[in-house]
Short mmCIF file of all heavy atoms in Angstrom, two decimals:
data_model
loop_
_atom_site.label_atom_id
_atom_site.label_comp_id
_atom_site.label_asym_id
_atom_site.label_seq_id
_atom_site.Cartn_x
_atom_site.Cartn_y
_atom_site.Cartn_z
N ALA A 1 13.93 -5.47 2.01
CA ALA A 1 13.20 -5.01 0.81
C ALA A 1 12.50 -6.15 0.11
O ALA A 1 11.33 -6.02 -0.30
CB ALA A 1 14.20 -4.36 -0.20
N GLN A 2 13.07 -7.31 0.05
CA GLN A 2 12.56 -8.47 -0.55
C GLN A 2 11.25 -8.94 0.25
O GLN A 2 10.27 -9.26 -0.36
CB GLN A 2 13.55 -9.67 -0.55
CG GLN A 2 14.66 -9.46 -1.56
CD GLN A 2 14.47 -9.77 -2.95
OE1 GLN A 2 13.34 -10.08 -3.36
NE2 GLN A 2 15.52 -9.86 -3.69
N GLU A 3 11.36 -8.83 1.50
CA GLU A 3 10.37 -9.28 2.38
C GLU A 3 9.05 -8.25 2.19
O GLU A 3 7.93 -8.69 2.11
CB GLU A 3 10.66 -9.27 3.90
CG GLU A 3 9.64 -9.66 4.89
CD GLU A 3 10.18 -9.73 6.27
OE1 GLU A 3 11.43 -9.62 6.54
OE2 GLU A 3 9.33 -9.66 7.13
N MET A 4 9.47 -7.00 2.21
CA MET A 4 8.25 -5.98 2.18
C MET A 4 7.71 -6.05 0.71
O MET A 4 6.54 -5.83 0.49
CB MET A 4 8.91 -4.57 2.39
CG MET A 4 9.31 -4.31 3.75
SD MET A 4 9.79 -2.58 4.01
CE MET A 4 8.22 -1.71 3.72
N HIS A 5 8.52 -6.39 -0.25
CA HIS A 5 8.02 -6.36 -1.59
C HIS A 5 6.85 -7.25 -1.87
O HIS A 5 6.05 -6.95 -2.70
CB HIS A 5 9.23 -6.80 -2.56
CG HIS A 5 8.89 -6.89 -4.00
ND1 HIS A 5 8.83 -8.07 -4.68
CD2 HIS A 5 8.57 -5.91 -4.92
CE1 HIS A 5 8.51 -7.79 -5.97
NE2 HIS A 5 8.35 -6.55 -6.14
N THR A 6 6.68 -8.30 -1.06
CA THR A 6 5.61 -9.30 -1.41
C THR A 6 4.25 -8.75 -0.89
O THR A 6 3.24 -9.13 -1.43
CB THR A 6 5.92 -10.55 -0.56
OG1 THR A 6 6.07 -10.28 0.79
CG2 THR A 6 7.21 -11.14 -1.04
N ASN A 7 4.22 -7.82 -0.01
CA ASN A 7 2.92 -7.31 0.45
C ASN A 7 2.93 -5.89 0.84
O ASN A 7 2.28 -5.46 1.79
CB ASN A 7 2.47 -8.18 1.72
CG ASN A 7 1.05 -8.21 2.08
OD1 ASN A 7 0.21 -7.97 1.12
ND2 ASN A 7 0.75 -8.20 3.29
N PHE A 8 3.64 -5.13 0.26
CA PHE A 8 3.69 -3.64 0.50
C PHE A 8 2.62 -2.96 -0.08
O PHE A 8 2.40 -3.01 -1.34
CB PHE A 8 5.13 -3.06 -0.03
CG PHE A 8 5.25 -1.59 0.25
CD1 PHE A 8 5.51 -1.28 1.56
CD2 PHE A 8 5.22 -0.67 -0.70
CE1 PHE A 8 5.82 0.12 1.91
CE2 PHE A 8 5.48 0.71 -0.40
CZ PHE A 8 5.69 1.06 0.95
N ARG A 9 1.86 -2.04 0.73
CA ARG A 9 0.72 -1.36 0.25
C ARG A 9 0.81 0.19 0.72
O ARG A 9 1.07 0.38 1.96
CB ARG A 9 -0.50 -1.85 0.84
CG ARG A 9 -0.87 -3.32 0.28
CD ARG A 9 -1.17 -3.23 -1.23
NE ARG A 9 -1.51 -4.56 -1.67
CZ ARG A 9 -0.67 -5.40 -2.14
NH1 ARG A 9 0.76 -5.07 -2.28
NH2 ARG A 9 -0.93 -6.64 -2.58
N ALA A 10 0.67 1.11 -0.22
CA ALA A 10 0.77 2.52 0.06
C ALA A 10 -0.30 3.00 1.15
O ALA A 10 -0.15 3.87 1.79
CB ALA A 10 0.72 3.34 -1.18
N GLU A 11 -1.40 2.19 1.10
CA GLU A 11 -2.55 2.57 1.96
C GLU A 11 -2.18 2.31 3.55
O GLU A 11 -2.93 2.74 4.33
CB GLU A 11 -3.83 1.87 1.52
CG GLU A 11 -4.27 2.33 0.26
CD GLU A 11 -3.60 1.72 -0.89
OE1 GLU A 11 -2.78 0.67 -0.67
OE2 GLU A 11 -3.78 2.03 -2.11
N ARG A 12 -1.26 1.35 3.80
CA ARG A 12 -0.97 1.01 5.15
C ARG A 12 0.11 1.87 5.71
O ARG A 12 1.23 1.93 5.24
CB ARG A 12 -0.48 -0.53 5.21
CG ARG A 12 -1.68 -1.46 5.10
CD ARG A 12 -1.22 -2.87 5.71
NE ARG A 12 -0.17 -3.46 4.72
CZ ARG A 12 -0.50 -4.39 3.87
NH1 ARG A 12 -1.78 -4.84 3.73
NH2 ARG A 12 0.45 -4.98 3.17
N LYS A 13 -0.27 2.61 6.79
CA LYS A 13 0.67 3.50 7.49
C LYS A 13 1.79 2.83 7.94
O LYS A 13 2.90 3.33 7.89
CB LYS A 13 -0.08 4.21 8.55
CG LYS A 13 0.75 5.35 9.27
CD LYS A 13 -0.09 6.02 10.37
CE LYS A 13 0.81 7.02 11.05
NZ LYS A 13 0.10 7.75 12.24
N SER A 14 1.64 1.45 8.51
CA SER A 14 2.79 0.82 9.00
C SER A 14 3.85 0.52 7.97
O SER A 14 5.09 0.55 8.15
CB SER A 14 2.22 -0.27 9.72
OG SER A 14 1.66 -1.22 8.80
N ASP A 15 3.34 0.14 6.77
CA ASP A 15 4.26 -0.16 5.58
C ASP A 15 5.03 1.19 5.30
O ASP A 15 6.28 1.07 5.00
CB ASP A 15 3.33 -0.62 4.36
CG ASP A 15 3.00 -2.08 4.65
OD1 ASP A 15 3.17 -2.68 5.69
OD2 ASP A 15 2.31 -2.53 3.64
N ILE A 16 4.34 2.22 5.23
CA ILE A 16 4.95 3.54 4.82
C ILE A 16 6.05 3.89 5.84
O ILE A 16 7.17 4.21 5.49
CB ILE A 16 4.03 4.68 4.66
CG1 ILE A 16 3.04 4.34 3.57
CG2 ILE A 16 4.70 6.01 4.41
CD1 ILE A 16 3.64 4.17 2.12
N GLU A 17 5.77 3.80 7.13
CA GLU A 17 6.62 4.06 8.22
C GLU A 17 7.89 3.18 8.12
O GLU A 17 9.06 3.70 8.33
CB GLU A 17 5.98 4.05 9.54
CG GLU A 17 4.90 5.09 9.81
CD GLU A 17 4.15 4.98 11.02
OE1 GLU A 17 4.22 3.83 11.57
OE2 GLU A 17 3.57 5.90 11.52
N MET A 18 7.76 1.98 7.87
CA MET A 18 8.87 1.02 7.77
C MET A 18 9.70 1.39 6.61
O MET A 18 10.90 1.36 6.71
CB MET A 18 8.35 -0.45 7.66
CG MET A 18 9.37 -1.49 7.37
SD MET A 18 10.52 -1.65 8.86
CE MET A 18 9.38 -2.59 10.01
N TYR A 19 9.06 1.60 5.46
CA TYR A 19 9.80 2.00 4.24
C TYR A 19 10.68 3.20 4.45
O TYR A 19 11.92 3.33 4.06
CB TYR A 19 8.83 2.11 3.09
CG TYR A 19 9.43 2.49 1.70
CD1 TYR A 19 10.04 1.58 0.91
CD2 TYR A 19 9.67 3.88 1.33
CE1 TYR A 19 10.68 1.83 -0.15
CE2 TYR A 19 10.34 4.12 0.21
CZ TYR A 19 10.80 3.19 -0.56
OH TYR A 19 11.44 3.51 -1.74
N GLU A 20 10.06 4.28 5.03
CA GLU A 20 10.80 5.48 5.32
C GLU A 20 11.91 5.38 6.26
O GLU A 20 12.93 6.09 6.09
CB GLU A 20 9.69 6.59 5.63
CG GLU A 20 8.80 7.00 4.59
CD GLU A 20 7.81 8.03 4.99
OE1 GLU A 20 7.47 8.24 6.25
OE2 GLU A 20 7.19 8.73 4.18
N SER A 21 11.76 4.55 7.12
CA SER A 21 12.78 4.48 8.27
C SER A 21 13.85 3.53 7.91
O SER A 21 15.10 3.69 8.35
CB SER A 21 12.14 3.92 9.55
OG SER A 21 11.58 2.62 9.45
N LYS A 22 13.62 2.54 6.95
CA LYS A 22 14.63 1.50 6.80
C LYS A 22 15.09 1.51 5.24
O LYS A 22 16.28 1.13 5.00
CB LYS A 22 14.05 -0.01 7.03
CG LYS A 22 13.57 -0.03 8.41
CD LYS A 22 14.65 0.05 9.44
CE LYS A 22 14.20 -0.40 10.80
NZ LYS A 22 15.36 -0.33 11.80
N LEU A 23 14.36 1.94 4.25
CA LEU A 23 14.78 1.74 2.96
C LEU A 23 14.84 3.07 2.05
O LEU A 23 15.67 3.13 1.24
CB LEU A 23 13.76 0.81 2.12
CG LEU A 23 13.85 -0.64 2.72
CD1 LEU A 23 12.62 -1.42 2.01
CD2 LEU A 23 15.06 -1.32 2.55
N LYS A 24 14.02 3.99 2.48
CA LYS A 24 14.03 5.32 1.69
C LYS A 24 15.40 6.09 1.72
O LYS A 24 15.98 6.04 2.81
CB LYS A 24 12.89 6.20 2.12
CG LYS A 24 12.75 7.52 1.34
CD LYS A 24 11.49 8.17 1.86
CE LYS A 24 11.30 9.39 0.85
NZ LYS A 24 12.32 10.47 0.89
N ASP A 25 15.84 6.53 0.73
CA ASP A 25 16.98 7.38 0.57
C ASP A 25 18.31 6.55 0.75
O ASP A 25 19.42 7.11 1.02
CB ASP A 25 17.05 8.62 1.55
CG ASP A 25 15.89 9.46 1.30
OD1 ASP A 25 15.56 9.59 0.11
OD2 ASP A 25 15.42 10.05 2.42
N THR A 26 18.20 5.27 0.59
CA THR A 26 19.41 4.34 0.51
C THR A 26 19.90 4.28 -0.82
O THR A 26 19.32 4.84 -1.76
CB THR A 26 19.00 2.98 1.03
OG1 THR A 26 18.05 2.31 0.23
CG2 THR A 26 18.48 3.04 2.50
N VAL A 27 21.15 3.76 -0.99
CA VAL A 27 21.78 3.73 -2.30
C VAL A 27 20.85 2.99 -3.23
O VAL A 27 20.61 3.48 -4.49
CB VAL A 27 23.16 2.99 -2.24
CG1 VAL A 27 23.72 2.75 -3.64
CG2 VAL A 27 24.14 3.69 -1.25
N HIS A 28 20.29 1.82 -2.98
CA HIS A 28 19.55 1.02 -3.89
C HIS A 28 18.20 1.79 -4.17
O HIS A 28 17.63 1.70 -5.31
CB HIS A 28 19.34 -0.41 -3.42
CG HIS A 28 20.62 -1.12 -3.37
ND1 HIS A 28 20.65 -2.44 -2.86
CD2 HIS A 28 21.83 -0.80 -3.80
CE1 HIS A 28 21.94 -2.88 -2.94
NE2 HIS A 28 22.73 -1.92 -3.46
N ASP A 29 17.64 2.39 -3.12
CA ASP A 29 16.48 3.26 -3.36
C ASP A 29 16.66 4.38 -4.37
O ASP A 29 15.86 4.59 -5.26
CB ASP A 29 16.03 3.80 -2.09
CG ASP A 29 14.71 4.61 -2.12
OD1 ASP A 29 13.67 4.07 -2.52
OD2 ASP A 29 14.87 5.83 -1.78
N GLU A 30 17.74 4.90 -4.25
CA GLU A 30 18.13 6.15 -5.21
C GLU A 30 18.38 5.58 -6.67
O GLU A 30 18.13 6.12 -7.57
CB GLU A 30 19.34 6.86 -4.72
CG GLU A 30 19.08 7.56 -3.33
CD GLU A 30 18.05 8.64 -3.36
OE1 GLU A 30 17.51 8.92 -4.42
OE2 GLU A 30 17.81 9.16 -2.27
N LEU A 31 19.07 4.41 -6.79
CA LEU A 31 19.25 3.89 -8.12
C LEU A 31 17.85 3.51 -8.75
O LEU A 31 17.76 3.83 -9.98
CB LEU A 31 20.09 2.56 -7.99
CG LEU A 31 21.49 2.75 -7.66
CD1 LEU A 31 22.23 1.34 -7.58
CD2 LEU A 31 22.31 3.51 -8.70
#
């Protein structure tokens, strides 16, 4: 999350796919 945070863009499909597969719907994401 810290690594992605520095350069995460909603327009980049690869960023969205990584977020959805690794971080979305996790405990900290829900908080």
Side-chain angles (χ1 to χ4, degrees):
Q2 296 274 11
E3 181 181 342
M4 290 186 67
H5 178 250
T6 60
N7 197 32
F8 182 71
R9 294 294 181 271
E11 295 80 10
R12 279 200 293 262
K13 184 178 179 181
S14 59
D15 285 5
I16 296 301
E17 290 174 345
M18 177 67 75
Y19 180 86
E20 290 180 339
S21 64
K22 301 294 185 181
L23 298 176
K24 188 175 182 294
D25 301 329
T26 61
V27 175
H28 293 176
D29 179 61
E30 298 296 355
L31 289 177

